[in-house]
Amino acid sequence: MKRLEERIDAEGRVLGEDILKVDSFLNHQVDPELMQAMGDEFAHYFADMGITKVLTVESSGIAPALMASLSLSVPMVFARKHKSLTLTDNLYTATVYSFTKQTENTISISKSFLSADDKVLIIDDFLANGQAVNGLLDICEAAGATVGGVGVVIEKRFQRGHQFIVERHIPLLALASIASFDNGHVVFSHEKEQINVQ
């Protein structure tokens, strides 16, 4: 998605060898028009999958997931990371390790909102090692729900998340695919392919 890549180029900051900071439009401040365009892109790609629910993990996945669910005209459900007085039992849970925060969280979804009748589209902001997606896949399996696809805003192809999803034969759409970071610069997968051809 060219518009997203341009924003990453203009506003993204590479931290160290494997972190990309995009808090000016995705992870802290949110650009609603860009979210809507991304939601439309996800909805168009997965339009024929018979999706009944869009699933994500709080909090950065909520904006693109909500826009995708709006475009698909289906509910969006987000897995909670924190305990709530109103969400205490009758839950599907999974343990997820956060690569950026270096912490482990238990994510939860009420059994009222996910069932074997559902065909799910999983949406997340980043795909690195695939931990968040794996947690949601575990929850879907526990619920008996079918996973129709995974959509991510940004994937880092040099980490193992992409391969993990592909090996499970789950349709995957990444709106921006990063091949590597080179001296603080983002190299997108299609740019690397062009370099390799020359």
Side-chain angles (χ1 to χ4, degrees), residues 81-134:
K81 289 182 186 172
H82 307 288
K83 289 184 179 177
S84 163
L85 292 175
T86 60
L87 192 70
T88 55
D89 53 12
N90 210 25
L91 305 173
Y92 295 116
T93 62
T95 302
V96 171
Y97 180 77
S98 169
F99 177 79
T100 26
K101 294 179 182 140
Q102 305 281 301
T103 57
E104 203 169 72
N105 292 295
T106 298
I107 60 171
S108 308
I109 290 178
S110 170
K111 291 183 178 179
S112 304
F113 303 131
L114 190 63
S115 74
D117 296 328
D118 285 313
K119 190 165 189 184
V120 170
L121 171 60
I122 293 172
I123 298 285
D124 207 3
D125 59 338
F126 271 91
L127 177 61
N129 291 310
Q131 294 292 315
V133 171
N134 190 42

Side-chain angles (χ1 to χ4, degrees), residues 45-172:
Y45 189 84
F46 294 104
D48 299 327
M49 291 291 197
I51 301 298
T52 63
K53 294 265 171 77
V54 174
L55 217 58
T56 192
V57 177
E58 67 172 348
S59 59
S60 296
I62 291 176
L66 183 61
M67 291 298 104
S69 69
L70 182 65
S71 291
L72 288 165
S73 299
V74 299
M76 184 271 287
V77 180
F78 65 88
R80 290 176 177 260
K81 289 182 186 172
H82 307 288
K83 289 184 179 177
S84 163
L85 292 175
T86 60
L87 192 70
T88 55
D89 53 12
N90 210 25
L91 305 173
Y92 295 116
T93 62
T95 302
V96 171
Y97 180 77
S98 169
F99 177 79
T100 26
K101 294 179 182 140
Q102 305 281 301
T103 57
E104 203 169 72
N105 292 295
T106 298
I107 60 171
S108 308
I109 290 178
S110 170
K111 291 183 178 179
S112 304
F113 303 131
L114 190 63
S115 74
D117 296 328
D118 285 313
K119 190 165 189 184
V120 170
L121 171 60
I122 293 172
I123 298 285
D124 207 3
D125 59 338
F126 271 91
L127 177 61
N129 291 310
Q131 294 292 315
V133 171
N134 190 42
L136 291 173
L137 290 174
D138 287 347
I139 285 175
C140 288
E141 187 175 346
T146 305
V147 177
V150 172
V152 293
V153 177
I154 300 167
E155 71 168 355
K156 293 185 277 183
R157 286 290 290 270
F158 55 89
Q159 291 176 285
R160 64 177 181 267
H162 176 93
Q163 198 59 32
F164 165 76
I165 294 168
V166 169
E167 285 172 358
R168 294 186 72 157
H169 306 290
I170 299 170
L172 170 64

